[in-house]
Amino acid sequence: LAATKEALAGLEKDLAATKEALAARETELEGQKSAGANLQDELEKLRADLAASKKEGEELKKDLSETQKALEAAKEEIERLKGDLAASQAEGERLKGEIEKLGKDLAESQAEAAKLKEDVAGLEKDLAASQA
C-alpha cells in the first residue's frame, strides 16, 4: 500500500508537471497564434500596398505614354515649323532680291524721267526760240 501511495504520489507529481508543461505550451501556442494573426494582418497590409503600387505603376505608365505621345507631337510640330521657317526665309530672300531689283529699276526710271524732263525743257526752249 505504501508503494502504491508512493507510486500514486509520483504519478500526481508527474501529472502536475505535465499540467504545468501543458499550460506553458498553451500559453506559447496563444503567443504564436497572436504572432500569426499579426503576421497575417501584416501580410494583408503588404498585399494592399502592393495592389496600390501596381495601380500607381499602371497610372504612371499611362501618363508616360501620354507624355511620350505629346513629346512626339511637339517634335513633329517643331520640324514642321522649321520647314515653314526655311520656306519663309527663302521667300524673304527672294522678296529682298526682288525689292533690290525694283529699287534699281526705280532709280533708273527716275534718272530716265529726269533726263526726259531736261530733254523736254530743252525742246521747249528750242521751240520757243524758233518761234521768236
Side-chain angles (χ1 to χ4, degrees):
L1 183 65
T4 305
K5 281 185 179 180
E6 208 174 287
L8 185 59
L11 287 174
E12 285 177 351
K13 192 175 183 182
D14 287 347
L15 180 60
T18 302
K19 282 183 179 179
E20 202 175 291
L22 183 59
R25 182 71 178 136
E26 285 177 348
T27 301
E28 185 182 332
L29 286 174
E30 286 301 316
Q32 288 176 350
K33 283 182 184 177
S34 177
N38 288 342
L39 288 174
Q40 186 65 31
D41 290 345
E42 189 175 333
L43 178 61
E44 291 303 317
K45 183 181 179 301
L46 288 173
R47 283 182 179 153
D49 289 348
L50 177 61
S53 291
K54 284 182 178 179
K55 183 178 180 185
E56 183 180 2
E58 290 302 315
E59 289 172 0
L60 289 172
K61 282 181 186 177
K62 181 181 174 190
D63 289 349
L64 177 61
S65 176
E66 290 172 359
T67 301
Q68 286 174 330
K69 286 178 185 174
L71 178 60
E72 285 302 314
K75 285 180 179 177
E76 289 173 6
E77 180 68 9
I78 288 170
E79 289 304 313
R80 186 189 66 75
L81 290 173
K82 284 180 180 178
D84 290 352
L85 176 61
S88 294
Q89 286 175 331
E91 179 66 7
E93 288 300 315
R94 186 191 68 76
L95 291 174
K96 186 177 175 183
E98 194 172 317
I99 288 170
E100 287 175 4
K101 182 186 176 301
L102 290 173
K104 287 178 185 177
D105 290 350
L106 176 62
E108 289 174 6
S109 295
Q110 287 174 336
E112 190 176 334
K115 184 181 179 311
L116 289 173
K117 281 183 183 178
E118 286 178 16
D119 290 348
V120 168
L123 289 174
E124 287 176 343
K125 191 176 180 184
D126 290 345
L127 179 63
S130 68
Q131 288 177 349

